[in-house]
Amino acid sequence: MTITSFHPPRRTLMGPGPSDVNPRITEALSRPTIGHLDPEFIRMMDELKTLIQYAFKTQNRLTLPISAPGSAGMEACFANLVEEGDKVIVCINGVFGGRMKENVERFGGVPVVVESEWGRAVDPVKVEEALTEHPDAAILAFVHAETSTGALSDAETLCRLAKGHDCLTIVDTVTSLGGCELNIDQWGIDAVYSGSQKCLSCVPGLSPVSFSDAAIAKINGRKSKVKSWFLDMSLIMGYWGGEGKRAYHHTAPVNQLYALHEALCILQEEGLENAWERHALHHRALTAGLAAIGLEMLVPEKERLVQLNAVVIPEGVDDAAVRSQLLNAYNLEIGAGLGAFAGKVWRIGLMGYAASKSNVLSCLSALEAALLKQGYSFKAGESIKAASAIYA
Ligand SMILES: *Cc1c(COP(=O)(O)O)cnc(C)c1O
């Protein structure tokens, strides 16, 4: 068999990420590759830092994209901030909180787990209790937007509690960045990581991160070297140094970084707050449509993410059959449930470029067609009517 070029199908990506990529971004990827120490590249990287600061709403000097996906941004935060024996309060209300705990353990920290129900926000009362019970805790870690369940936690309140107990904060904003309110400096977040492929609608594989001065002070005061060479911020700072003195650390993924630069230019053109509002609008239309055909959301309204909608699969409806019909007949990808929610919920993403009126309406029509085939009883056309009423 002769293997020839790979040409993927054209899909509409309305799952938990990657999300639809704006064609402007794929065009940016195909621009000429230049050296990563080329003065023009370095100029682009300086702009990229400013753009990431804009998206995170931060003045943090140490703000950069890690050359690897969101999971590597997560590791970068824990590898640098957690030292042997550090007590870390880890909030778990879904899959990604569980990964934070794993990171704490692997880097020699001692996790104190605060469990909240899956599908709900992190409970600030439980966090306050844990902080009081463990006055020696060094760090509070939690996920702002739990993509596995569709729950949004109150990052501002959680960070204020941490500050009151002299704790640094590590916050996962992989799904929140660009999709809902996020305010690093005002909320006092010390270490934050995100991903390129969710609400920024860029190709996967980059993780914007940012560290406060307090976080940098902890890194600089470490008694032992960071256990990961690649993710050691003290080495990466040498490349990002700022005085025009760029030392080789690793070969930057040049073209992917053009793509992230383009994605953030698009965000800046739209305006960050406008992007948050756009995600909220399409969420309102989608959920009105789903409600009109009797589908229920997993997460209570006040704790719901707008960019990731967890929908309860009705009794008697075959999860896999519906998702494959959407994929095969409509080229539409929605997400399956994760962990405890496998087979029980669908996760419909409205992230970045995918958060559009045409996507909401075509998703609802395709879902109606698939549900009809499943024998689920509802009044056909009602979801489109309800969503259109929101747009009217
Ligand atoms: C997607 C996601 C990650 C992991 O990002 P990758 O780019 O897949 O490594 C981490 N946390 C949350 C909340 C996510 O949604």
Side-chain angles (χ1 to χ4, degrees):
M1 185 186 120
T2 314
I3 296 178
T4 59
S5 310
F6 175 64
H7 293 282
R10 197 167 282 281
R11 310 274 201 217
T12 300
L13 300 178
M14 297 181 74
S19 60
D20 275 350
V21 175
N22 187 318
R24 269 179 64 182
I25 295 169
T26 35
E27 182 273 319
L29 267 177
S30 67
R31 291 176 196 159
T33 303
I34 59 176
H36 67 123
L37 299 174
D38 187 308
E40 276 303 296
F41 184 74
I42 287 171
R43 188 179 65 76
M44 189 279 294
M45 289 297 266
D46 284 336
E47 289 183 357
L48 186 52
K49 174 177 171 176
T50 306
L51 289 164
I52 298 172
Q53 287 173 323
Y54 167 76
F56 272 141
K57 281 188 167 281
T58 183
Q59 301 294 320
N60 286 341
R61 295 172 289 147
L62 188 54
T63 299
L64 65 140
I66 299 281
S67 302
S71 305
M74 180 189 280
E75 283 214 20
C77 290
F78 287 93
N80 284 274
L81 289 181
V82 177
E83 276 194 275
E84 205 70 42
D86 274 351
K87 207 178 243 190
V88 182
I89 298 178
V90 181
C91 307
I92 302 184
N93 64 335
V95 168
F96 293 103
R99 289 190 183 179
M100 286 181 146
K101 172 173 178 273
E102 181 79 21
N103 269 271
V104 171
E105 287 166 348
R106 286 181 188 230
F107 292 114
V110 181
V112 174
V113 172
V114 174
E115 298 246 20
S116 300
E117 197 185 326
W118 284 40
R120 298 298 305 270
V122 169
D123 183 350
V125 175
K126 287 188 183 170
V127 171
E128 172 84 90
E129 281 167 9
L131 285 162
T132 307
E133 203 181 314
H134 301 275
D136 54 337
I139 299 169
L140 171 72
F142 65 90
V143 178
H144 185 211
E146 239 313 340
T147 325
S148 64
T149 67
L152 175 69
S153 289
D154 181 352
E156 187 174 13
T157 297
L158 295 174
C159 289
R160 192 171 53 236
L161 292 176
K163 283 282 117 69
H165 290 265
D166 265 338
C167 268
L168 293 178
T169 48
I170 297 178
V171 184
D172 178 320
T173 64
V174 175
T175 284
S176 47
L177 182 65
C180 62
E181 187 181 5
L182 173 63
N183 207 326
I184 301 305
D185 287 358
Q186 201 178 308
W187 295 351
I189 299 176
D190 291 298
V192 67
Y193 57 92
S194 190
S196 49
Q197 80 278 25
K198 311 244 170 151
C199 295
L200 299 182
S201 266
C202 185
V203 288
L206 290 173
S207 176
V209 298
S210 186
F211 296 86
S212 71
D213 286 346
I216 294 173
K218 180 148 188 355
I219 297 170
N220 289 338
R222 285 181 65 100
K223 290 183 240 21
S224 59
K225 280 188 181 176
V226 170
K227 289 199 174 73
S228 161
W229 176 85
F230 186 66
L231 298 172
D232 183 343
M233 283 299 141
S234 50
L235 301 177
I236 294 177
M237 279 185 255
Y239 178 84
W240 281 84
E243 296 93 40
K245 196 174 128 269
R246 307 285 174 136
Y248 167 68
H249 177 262
H250 66 277
T251 308
V254 171
N255 293 58
Q256 279 191 69
L257 290 161
Y258 302 160
L260 183 60
H261 183 281
E262 190 71 20
L264 291 165
C265 281
I266 293 168
L267 181 67
Q268 197 183 40
E269 284 166 24
E270 180 178 16
L272 189 55
E273 285 78 7
N274 294 337
W276 299 342
E277 262 175 45
R278 174 171 51 86
H279 285 86
L281 168 69
H282 298 302
H283 162 79
R284 284 198 301 278
L286 178 75
T287 48
L290 295 169
I293 53 171
L295 295 182
E296 282 172 22
M297 303 297 288
L298 175 75
V299 179
E301 194 169 346
K302 284 207 178 96
E303 299 169 15
R304 251 176 232 167
L305 283 174
V306 292
Q307 60 273 62
L308 196 282
N309 299 273
V311 185
V312 179
I313 301 173
E315 201 81 34
V317 168
D318 182 343
D319 165 34
V322 169
R323 281 185 297 106
S324 54
Q325 190 186 337
L326 295 183
L327 194 65
N328 297 326
Y330 299 89
N331 271 313
L332 172 65
E333 179 185 279
I334 65 167
L338 268 189
F341 293 130
K344 299 205 167 67
V345 302
W346 291 311
R347 291 180 301 151
I348 303 180
L350 288 170
M351 296 185 184
Y353 193 61
S356 68
K357 183 175 169 183
S358 63
N359 273 7
V360 166
L361 296 178
S362 48
C363 175
L364 289 170
S365 332
L367 202 54
E368 281 205 10
L371 287 170
L372 266 181
K373 203 168 167 185
Q374 288 287 313
Y376 171 71
S377 120
F378 64 102
K379 247 172 103 189
E382 288 299 311
S383 74
I384 308 296
K385 220 190 275 175
S388 304
I390 298 289
Y391 291 123

